[in-house]
Amino acid sequence: MASLTDRFKYDVFISFRGEDTRYGFTGYLKKALDDKGVRTFMDDDELRKGEEITPSLLKAIEDSMMAIIVLSKNYASSSFCLQEFSKILDSMMKDTGRFVLPVFYKVDPSDVRKLKNTYGKAMAKHKTSFDMDKWKLSLHQVANLCGFHYKGDAYEYEFIEKIVEQVLRNIKPVSLLVGEYLVGLEHQKQHVTSLLNIGSDDTIHMVGILGIGGIGKTTLALEVYNSIVHQFQCSCFVEKVRENSDKNGLIHLQKILLSQIVGEKNTEITSVGQGILILQKRLQQKKVLLLLDDVDKEEQLKAIAGSSDWFGPGSRVIITTRDKRLLKCGGVKRIYEVKGLKDEDAFDLVGWKALKNDYSYANVLKRVVAYASGHPLALEVMGSHFSNKTIEQCEDALDRYERVPHNKIQMTLQLSFDALQKEEKFVFLDIACCFKGWKLTRVEEILHAHYGDIMKDHINVLVEKSLIKISDSGNVTLHDLVEDMGKEIVRQESPEDPGKRSRLWSSKDIIQVLQENTGTSKIEIIHFGCWIKVQWDGQAFLKMENLKTLIFSDDVSFSTNPKHLPNSLRVLECRNRNCKYPSSDFHFFICNRNINRKHPSSNPFEWKAFLTKKFQNMRVLSLDNSNLLAQIPDISGLPNLEEFSVQKCWELTTIDKSVGFLRKLKILRFIDCTKIQSVPPLNLASLEELDLSRCYSLESFPLLVNGFFGELKILRIIKCTKIKIIPSLMLPSLEELDLSDCTNLENFLPVEDGFGDKLKTMSVRRCIKLRSIPPLKLDLLETLNLSCCYSLESFPLVMDGFLGKLKTLLVNSCIKLRSIPPLKLDLLEKLDLSYCGALECFPLVVDGFLGKLKTLLVKSCHNLKSIPPLKLDALETLDLSCCYSLESFPLIVDGFLGKLKTLLVTSCGNLRSIPPLKLDSLEKFDLSYCGSLESFPLVVDGFLGKLETLLAENCHNLRSIPPLKLDSLETFDLSCCYSLESFPLVVDGFLGKLKTLLVTSCHNLKSIPPLKLDSLETLDLSCCYWLESFPLVVDGFLGKLKTLRVTSCHNLRSIPPLKLDLLEELDLSNCYRLENFPLVVHGFLGKLKTLLVTSCHNLRSIPPLQLDSLEKLDLSNCYRLESFPLVVDGFLGKLKTLLVTSCHNLRSIPPLNLDSLEKLDLSCCCSLESFPLVVDGLLDKLKFLNIECCIMLRNIPRLRLTLLEHFNLSCCYSLESFPEILGEMRNVPGVLLDETPIKELPFPFQNLTQPQTLCNCGYVYLPNRMSRLAEFTIQNEEKVNAMQSSHVKHICVRNCKLSDEYLSKSLMLFANVKELHLTKNQFTVLPKSIEKCHLLWRLVLDDCEELLEIEGIPPCLKSLSAINCKSLTSSCKSKLLNQELHEAGNTWFHLPQAKIPEWFNHQCLAGLSISFWFRNKFPAITLCVVSPLTCYGSQHRVKATINGNTFFYTHGSKIGTASHKDTYHLHLFHMQMKYFNDNMDKALLENKWNHAEVDFGFPFMYSGIHVLEEKSNMKDIRFSNPEIDANIVLHPGC
């Protein structure tokens, strides 16, 4: 990065009085500066033009890094000098990194400060000047600066030397050389910069940059340093602290700081302690930027940057290190761990370094990138090495590096290894060679057999020194090059003979050692990491006297069984490595030479024979995922076994009794062994952990000899769903008890003396039959989980109510729990009482003290009315949502919730007020649906500076919100606050980070104050009926706004000019009084996709606009709109929908380019005289064209309508000719020409004798002409045959007098019709000939009031609507409700005045919804409802609520209100899971009953459910709660 000095053309600007010092002092000073290479500006023009400072001089000041002001005797007498002087101060004093250096030349500084002597006289001379006061202030200011005073009592050249020395210190390059080619740093630099919190000058921050050697810590630190250094008073970079400290000592480092920051080069320091005191004293008043590179010892940090209070306010210290512990010990809390380069950045770096732009080298460079794994040093070293090499040479070098790492890389990485203690080195080598990617818990268990408990400390050291990492999923990981470094260290133990190395992992080395029998006592670990085949004599293990761990991570084929295994063996593990991490799946087998590996099962490993051998030192035995293992043999030959793990052995059924008599066994796990029915008696005095989780077939808890487990710390019996009882146990040492999901457990295990004394974790989650827990002593308990214990009626009685160590208490979904006794919860951090629907009172907390509580969840406690006073100083999350009965907000001691980040009070319908609160840290506040809340809580100081989300929607009674400071607010929702009269006053009107502002349906809101909304993306003011003016936006700038909705603001008359460059949606619909379209800056709406101006009745015109991206334009019901908006270039090339319905005064539409238009509706434009001229007449993509009721329209130009599907020209009374159509119209199903006087009908009715003219028209809709059509049909019966009418798919005939004879004959002609609409027609019988319509699936007979009979039912009929067919006979309705007709499914029938059919399984009386319970998948059912309302329209939607989750039914009709008041209708329809709007699976409970409630959206008189037995099992549906009555029997009625 360029130095700060590179920003300026000059280093120094000299301001002086020419007649005083030009040819003397100032001239000598200029010469001295020039001699030192300082770029100096000095105005040599003696004759200054006028009294005004020239532009060139102003530019020179701006281009100078610092200024020297030579204040001589007559300096102030020149107004020119004073202007120049004032400009220097204005320009430089506020710019960090620039300096002003006053030189008092034979002038006393007090004369300048107090305006005495020549300076007093000079200012009196200027008293009439407008700048007089400013000059006085400037002189006073500069007199207080630290500078140089020359009294004339010393040599001037010596004085000048001191000035030059200071100048050189000030202008030294502050930026540092980083590197030649930097990639992939920007994001990381931003992250570190954010940790430094630059700009906050009242604090001091120390930031650590952590990472392995060569990963780029120093490069990143230098980049950050260079980007911010100009903002500091002084700066210092101490490089290679480790190296310099080792060579020169800590005092040397302290002197560097004094020299670089303070300028003291000769300070004598006799000890490190003295240096610390001097640094503290010198640095406390300075704003310092300090970079310490490669710190590796705590004493280094203490010597040069002991703590943040050494430095002045605003200082920042950056430390690079490989050791996280060092940073923690030094009090550094902000730490960033450097990430490796991404592949694309790594490819760029190695390509640049190798100078390989040749595409043929791409594969080589990709190999380098893969090998280096984002490590910059490795990339640079290898890239440099590849320069001027051929592809073959590069490949050879890569092969060599993969075997033996490059020396420079190895040395750099090994520095961290060399700093480890001896045993820490061993643990690192174990992990690097054998355990990369393994679960940490498993690694700890194996290494415990080697090193004991201390190994955990060793692992922590490795993590802190960045040698290994623990992933979020709990796996041990390390960089590939660090792994290679460790393996190379082991290889160097014996480069030529692998049998003399401590660890073997390479299949090649293992095969060599076993087959050549070259093993030695040096070998401690062998890890078979991949499949190998070993041809040996079985004797190789005999020499490995110190072999401690033998691991098989894949199948291994031995030509013969091993003859010996050493007694030193402590861990024998058989695993199988999957694609990501080691799992636990191994099939150890012996294979003859002639047996194919793919079929090894002829000789599986004989565990029985193997385990009967004596392994005196074996500590760990894991048989995890041995899929073929059916029984555990006698293992009494393993007397020192400490851990025995058997997981996911699906076929295991039998366990030998010897397992129960391993006296030293500490860990016993039988997990996911689904066929085990029993475990033998246990007499395990040393047992510390017993885990029987997910043994689903286990019928009883194992018998304990003497019932005593004195050492047992962990007992897990998770999901043992058949266990009903746990016997009495003596468990004095128990620390963890987990009985989660034991769904048949009826009683808590009997409590003996001492039980619970040491218990830290207890979970009975989802023990749904557990009714009570006996009194317990739980002094040390940290976690208690009682969630989803549906039958639990009382909270366990705790002795003395003392839960003083408890941190987590989960009682959610205990639906029968009514109360919790008083408790002492001093350390509680999380309390969850959510969904305790019966809970009537909040637990009484001793002293109300919950001072450590961070999370309090009381969601959906419907019966909870109040919460007692509490002290919640540490609370971060409070959720009171859906506490419907809660009448008052909990009283908080001192009103202090200073750490609260999330406050949710949603749907507390009875809550009327919230007391004053201090909410400095609040980020989310949700008051939505608090319908009774009358006032917004008073916030101390109105400060909500960190609040990001504020939701107050549907607070119907909320009238006002006090002034607030909302600098960080991003989402603000005041929707449906009907009583809100004024928008909250925001401090400074600043909402600069707000992205979403919703003020929908604030009916009483009249105005919104001026606001600054630079980041706003969504603004919704819809339905603010009384809003009279649009909010005044500072600068009219809404440059990031994407959505603006002002729908139904009935009193809004105007919108001020706005800048809306990114706007995508603008909705001004129903703004009845809006007279002018908002003026948009430059008319640019280039990103707008949707523009809705519907029902703006007073809008007369819209200004010219650029609408290049517009997809939908709706101008419907703009009655006074006289002209269509002028579009720039007439281009609407992306417009898909154009709606101009009922624009009564619109006479014309200008020429437009409508290449993408799909829907055009000009209906009811009564004054429209001409159809819009379309460029080229192309409407190729148009599917819908409606020109209905354009009564003045006389002609339509030629059009190309290739894809048109709907064409309506009805009621165009002036239109006499059908438009000329270019090309074909193959998709149009019909043309609507009602009342339009076109003399010649279009197809398909002209020239009926020629079938080829019929095209693919299939939609006949000619209201009031049906009698003529019917007559035509009969008269031409011989001419109109099935072929001519076969294309007709949809017939709609309404409001006609149809005779039964006409109807019968007409139907026979349209055998392929699919939809038949005969609404409001006068006929009495629908003839049997309708059965000939074999494709008819939808039949609409609404309002056919004279219809008596439907004689035939079409075979494919699925939808029948006979609403208001009040004459329909009972026998006809019975025929239409026949069970056989509906059993196949998917029917949807609406019939008048009918009853629920008897074949419906379950019937209910009046209500709004109907409930049932089901398990597994959602059942296939038929629903029937009798109601005055009809299912015809779009006002209501059927919805189903499954376990509290709502889904809308999207298939078939929707609910409306079209029937007569004096009638009622039956609605029968099918409901299937696949027709819901969302995936229902996510709401279903596994192997549980699911509660379903179907809401029709309207009241009904009767309802019924019929289960389709062919598609659903009747056993899986109930009509009353199965948990209340498990023996419920289906019966009709409720």
Side-chain angles (χ1 to χ4, degrees), residues 140-197:
H140 183 79
Q141 185 179 3
V142 81
N144 289 325
L145 293 177
C146 181
F148 291 89
H149 182 196
Y150 182 67
K151 302 176 182 177
D153 55 355
Y155 292 111
E156 281 194 6
Y157 76 89
E158 292 179 347
F159 181 68
I160 289 174
E161 284 178 357
K162 292 179 181 177
I163 297 173
V164 172
E165 186 177 333
Q166 181 64 45
V167 168
L168 291 175
R169 277 200 297 268
N170 286 355
I171 68 168
K172 70 176 181 181
V174 290
S175 295
L176 305 167
L177 185 63
V178 181
E180 298 176 86
Y181 192 78
L182 303 178
V183 292
L185 279 181
E186 189 57 37
H187 178 71
Q188 300 198 72
K189 186 173 81 171
Q190 291 174 3
H191 200 123
V192 175
T193 305
S194 69
L195 290 176
L196 289 166
N197 194 20

Side-chain angles (χ1 to χ4, degrees), residues 516-532:
E516 298 178 6
N517 197 3
T518 56
T520 68
S521 60
K522 297 284 187 181
I523 300 174
E524 296 184 6
I525 299 178
I526 300 180
H527 179 203
F528 292 81
C530 60
W531 183 85
I532 61 174

Side-chain angles (χ1 to χ4, degrees), residues 1019-1031:
L1019 173 58
D1020 194 341
L1021 302 173
S1022 303
C1023 301
C1024 292
Y1025 300 142
W1026 292 102
L1027 188 66
E1028 297 175 351
S1029 60
F1030 191 86

Side-chain angles (χ1 to χ4, degrees), residues 555 589-592 594-604:
D555 295 344
F589 59 88
I590 305 168
C591 182
N592 295 326
N594 60 345
I595 295 178
N596 191 316
R597 179 184 176 270
K598 293 183 179 178
H599 304 283
S601 58
S602 60
N603 282 307

Side-chain angles (χ1 to χ4, degrees), residues 683-700:
N683 186 8
L684 304 172
S686 300
L687 196 66
E688 297 180 3
E689 177 184 333
L690 175 60
D691 195 336
L692 302 175
S693 297
R694 295 182 292 281
C695 292
Y696 300 122
S697 301
L698 189 64
E699 296 177 350
S700 62

Side-chain angles (χ1 to χ4, degrees), residues 88 190 227 247 306 325 414 685 690 845 971 1058 1145 1367 1409 1453 1511:
I88 289 170
Q190 291 174 3
S227 68
K247 288 182 179 179
R325 178 180 293 183
Q414 196 169 325
L690 175 60
V845 180
T971 301
L1058 298 171
N1145 283 323
S1367 300
S1409 61
S1453 305
K1511 299 181 179 180

Side-chain angles (χ1 to χ4, degrees), residues 313-352:
S315 293
R316 299 293 184 266
V317 180
I318 304 171
I319 304 154
T320 73
T321 183
R322 306 181 187 199
D323 192 343
K324 191 173 185 178
R325 178 180 293 183
L326 178 148
L327 295 172
K328 289 181 178 178
C329 293
V332 181
K333 297 179 180 179
R334 300 180 174 217
I335 300 173
Y336 178 74
E337 187 164 358
V338 181
K339 309 295 188 298
L341 295 177
K342 294 180 180 178
D343 283 354
E344 55 268 30
D345 295 327
F347 193 87
D348 287 347
L349 178 58
V350 73
W352 170 80

Side-chain angles (χ1 to χ4, degrees), residues 823-826 842-851 868-873 891-893:
L823 298 171
K824 185 171 177 61
L825 301 168
D826 292 354
F842 191 86
L844 187 62
V845 180
V846 176
D847 302 325
F849 182 80
L850 287 172
L870 297 171
K871 184 172 178 61
L872 300 169
D873 293 354
L891 185 62
I892 308 297
V893 176

